[in-house]
């Protein structure tokens, strides 16, 4: 059964097809949820809510873009709805962002596993983590992030810079000076 | 100097590694999610909206059928007895004096009981200034007919084909979520006498005296309703209700006429609710709605010093109700809720039947019921 047939059967309410779709996409989407939430239980709750939305909104999927991307957007939006209740996103711009950059060698980053990167992301404060996820991993623009989080574009950009700086410092602290490219201070 | 606010290889690496990342933590099992998905997906069929539209159409069709059908000779034709009209103490229209002998003769012609009085009686031909012109036309028409018709002027013509009367009315109701059973009772007792009910201009014999006194018992209502969460906190319900309005009345005249009246109504309510709170087993909500009540049956029994009468009929005029309410529901077990809804309703009708609804325009009531969600 190809993807379109699977979707069609899900729309018809076939439980087997729904299960197949869920088991196909849930593990990866669990990773998405974990990047945005504070703990595993919350991630599971978000995932469940997101898949209920997926199944109820399946008729609206027009086949434009990848189906996995469509599901991912729903999961991210559900996660954002969840964290909006507990997280206050700072809306300010820092003028000295560029003066506090710590850079690492991109080639050395490739040596790190996805789990390592996940751990580093999870160590960020919730607000910075969310902005970094949205920009670096999901590919949203600063303007889109500002709209999603109800902050200014400048505020989104500023928080991204802070998140990136903290990540780079973490990498150097964890894996040594060999990862350092150059620093300004 | 690199600009960290712009996308670069650093971001791409995170994206490449994390987009396809599958954590060791297992997602929730499908078995945990399946029931919720089944409920959510099956809800997509807007059964509540379809039911509400269907009921609205039925209500509208009923209204037009009842309001615009040819003027029938009502249900009162089947009455076993057509009692003698009672006299208003202060007639406001043209008065015709009828001697007792003539009155007895006329009563015999139409098989009517008579009063004991040997005094001439005065019959009111037009009871209210604003209706005077119409009544005069009717009187002229009757007078132009043969004599037998004249004898029925104050009997047959007074029977309730009263499209010219406009009597406000009202009452309570209830409704609820997915499926609910309810009982409802008005909060205040109401008694009225003729002096306060001049707007009625009732044509029933036992209404005609403005010296009559009605003691209305609290209306009772029972219902079964279904509902549907159509948008987020919004919820619509509809269903069927049964209402009974009972009254005792007494006519403070020489006859000493008194009796009871019970009116039975089938109601079709439509309501919309907005949920304010849903916490720790409690739900708080507000709502508004409308209802059409169709008279299934009206029973009147009364007795005078000499005789006793019973009549059964149905009134063709629906009673419309428009109300607002707030409600509090408490979850007893699993999906079973107990709820209470104070409600204020305004009732409107063209019916000449005098009842709790017609004598008290605005009604406070309390709906209590059980509700289940599925």
């Amino acid at each position: 059964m190809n993807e379109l047939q699977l979707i069609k059967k899900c729309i018809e309410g076939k439980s087997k097809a729904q299960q197949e779709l869920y088991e196909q996409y849930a593990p990866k989407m669990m990773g998405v949820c974990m990047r945005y939430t504070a703990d595993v239980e919350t991630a599971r709750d978000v995932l469940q809510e997101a898949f209920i939305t997926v199944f109820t909104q399946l008729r609206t999927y027009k086949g434009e873009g990848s189906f996995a991307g469509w599901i991912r957007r729903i999961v991210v939006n559900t996660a954002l709805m969840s964290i909006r209740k507990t997280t206050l996103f700072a809306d300010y711009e820092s003028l000295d962002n560029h003066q506090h950059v710590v850079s690492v060698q991109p080639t050395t980053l490739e040596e790190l596993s996805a789990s390592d990167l996940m751990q580093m992301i999870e160590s960020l404060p919730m607000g910075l983590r969310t902005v970094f996820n949205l920009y670096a991993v999901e590919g949203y623009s600063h303007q889109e992030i500002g709209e999603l989080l109800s902050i200014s574009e400048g505020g989104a950009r500023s928080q991204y810079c802070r998140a990136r700086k903290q990540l780079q410092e973490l990498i150097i602290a964890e894996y040594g000076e060999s990862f350092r490219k150059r620093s300004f201070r | 100097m690199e600009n960290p606010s712009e996308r670069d290889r650093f971001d791409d690496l995170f994206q490449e590694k994390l987009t396809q990342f599958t954590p060791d933590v297992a997602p929730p099992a499908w078995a945990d999610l399946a029931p919720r998905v089944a409920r959510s997906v099956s809800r997509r069929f807007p059964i509540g909206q379809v039911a509400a539209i269907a009921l609205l159409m039925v209500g509208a069709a009923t209204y037009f059928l009842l309001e615009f059908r040819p003027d029938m000779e009502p249900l009162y034709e089947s009455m076993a007895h057509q009692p003698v009209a009672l006299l208003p103490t202060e007639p406001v229209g043209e008065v015709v004096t009828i001697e007792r002998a003539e009155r007895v003769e006329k009563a015999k012609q139409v098989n009517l009981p008579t009063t004991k009085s040997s005094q001439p009686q005065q019959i009111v031909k037009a009871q209210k200034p604003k209706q005077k012109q119409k009544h005069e036309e009717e009187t002229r028409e009757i007078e132009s007919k043969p004599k037998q018709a004249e004898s029925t002027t104050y009997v047959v013509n007074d029977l309730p084909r009263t499209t010219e009367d406009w009597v406000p009315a009202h009452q309570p109701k209830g409704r609820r979520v997915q499926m609910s059973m309810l009982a409802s009772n008005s909060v205040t007792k109401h008694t009225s006498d003729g002096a306060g009910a001049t707007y009625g201009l009732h044509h029933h014999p036992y209404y005609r005296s403005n010296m009559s006194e009605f003691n209305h018992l609290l209306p009772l209502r029972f219902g079964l309703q279904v509902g549907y969460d159509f948008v987020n906190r919004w919820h619509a319900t509809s269903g069927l209700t049964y209402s009974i309005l009972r009254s005792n009345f007494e006519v403070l005249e020489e006859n000493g006429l008194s009796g009871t009246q019970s009116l039975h109504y089938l109601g079709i309510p439509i309501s919309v609710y907005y949920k304010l709170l849903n916490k720790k087993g409690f739900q708080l909500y507000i709502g508004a709605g409308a209802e059409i009540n169709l008279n299934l049956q009206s029973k009147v029994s009364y007795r005078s010093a000499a005789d006793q009468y019973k009549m059964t009929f149905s009134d063709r005029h629906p009673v419309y109700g428009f109300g607002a309410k707030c409600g509090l529901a408490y979850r007893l077990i699993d999906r079973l809720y107990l709820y209470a809804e104070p409600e204020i309703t305004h009732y409107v009708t063209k019916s000449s039947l005098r009842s709790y609804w017609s004598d008290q325009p605005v009604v406070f009531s309390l709906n209590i019921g059980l509700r289940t969600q599925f």
Side-chain angles (χ1 to χ4, degrees), chain B residues 225-246:
Chain B
Q225 299 188 17
V226 292
Y228 181 70
D229 288 319
F230 60 94
V231 178
N232 199 10
R233 292 171 172 232
W234 291 92
H235 181 84
T237 66
S238 188
L240 292 173
T241 62
Y242 165 75
S243 303
I244 179 168
L245 287 80
R246 291 168 297 169

Side-chain angles (χ1 to χ4, degrees), chain B residues 146-298:
Chain B
K147 201 154 181 78
Q148 187 175 355
E150 188 183 356
S151 68
T152 63
T153 300
Y154 61 94
V155 178
V156 176
N157 194 45
D158 284 343
L159 292 177
R161 313 149 64 188
T162 54
T163 50
E164 72 275 18
D165 286 346
W166 199 97
V167 183
H170 41 284
Q171 201 248 312
K173 50 190 157 278
R175 45 244 61 178
R176 232 359 353 182
V177 180
Q178 303 304 348
M179 176 164 277
S180 65
M181 294 182 297
L182 67 92
S184 147
N185 203 343
S186 297
V187 176
T188 53
K189 200 172 178 181
H190 185 69
T191 301
S192 67
D193 55 34
T198 51
Y199 56 80
L201 198 65
H202 305 292
H203 287 253
H204 285 289
Y206 58 97
Y207 289 150
R208 286 194 56 206
S209 170
N210 56 14
M211 286 297 288
S212 63
E213 180 181 285
F214 271 72
N215 178 26
H216 299 298
L217 305 181
L218 295 179
L220 284 174
R221 166 187 302 263
F222 305 95
L224 187 65
Q225 299 188 17
V226 292
Y228 181 70
D229 288 319
F230 60 94
V231 178
N232 199 10
R233 292 171 172 232
W234 291 92
H235 181 84
T237 66
S238 188
L240 292 173
T241 62
Y242 165 75
S243 303
I244 179 168
L245 287 80
R246 291 168 297 169
S247 309
N248 300 318
F249 61 88
E250 188 176 355
V251 181
L252 310 175
E253 296 242 334
E254 54 185 306
N255 306 53
L257 190 150
S258 63
T260 60
Q261 167 190 274
S262 62
L263 311 178
H264 305 262
Y265 285 91
L266 178 69
I268 303 172
I270 296 175
S271 297
V272 178
Y273 293 92
Y274 181 76
K275 294 173 191 169
L276 298 171
L277 182 74
N278 189 359
K279 242 179 185 178
K280 295 179 179 176
F282 284 95
Q283 292 179 345
L284 184 67
Y285 50 89
I286 54 174
E291 181 180 53
I292 179 172
N293 286 284
L294 307 173
N295 184 239
L296 296 174
Q297 193 178 54
S298 303

Side-chain angles (χ1 to χ4, degrees), chain A residues 22 49 72 103 135-136 160 164, chain B residues 2 4 7-8 11 28 36:
Chain A
Y22 176 77
E49 290 300 322
R72 177 184 287 272
S103 292
Y135 184 82
Y160 163 72
R164 178 170 163 142
Chain B
E2 81 179 87
R7 193 169 187 89
D8 60 12
D11 300 318
R36 292 182 64 191

Side-chain angles (χ1 to χ4, degrees), chain B residues 15-131:
Chain B
Q15 189 175 44
E16 286 167 16
K17 287 179 181 285
L18 293 181
T19 302
Q20 299 303 320
F21 172 65
T22 305
D24 297 334
V25 181
W30 169 250
D32 297 339
L33 188 63
R36 292 182 64 191
V37 170
R39 275 203 304 276
S40 303
V41 172
S42 65
R43 271 188 184 179
R44 287 199 59 79
F45 181 73
I47 189 167
Q49 286 147 302
V50 170
I53 291 168
L55 287 169
L56 198 62
M57 291 171 71
V58 168
T62 307
Y63 171 78
F64 284 108
L65 280 174
L66 294 173
E67 288 296 308
F68 299 109
R69 68 182 171 180
D71 201 16
M72 63 176 191
E73 292 308 323
L75 331 126
Y76 301 84
E77 278 188 330
S78 61
M79 287 161 46
H81 301 284
Q82 294 178 334
V84 174
L86 299 171
L87 298 177
T89 53
E90 293 178 3
V92 292
E94 181 188 355
V95 174
V96 177
T97 302
I98 302 175
E99 297 297 336
R100 174 170 168 75
E102 186 184 354
R103 203 167 66 241
V104 170
E105 182 61 30
K106 286 176 179 175
K108 282 179 181 174
Q109 289 176 20
V110 293
N111 194 26
L112 292 175
T114 60
T115 62
K116 289 179 178 176
S117 171
S118 61
Q119 297 300 314
Q121 288 196 357
Q122 294 177 327
I123 303 300
V124 183
K125 282 194 168 182
Q127 292 95 339
K128 213 168 185 180
K130 66 179 180 182
Q131 292 182 321

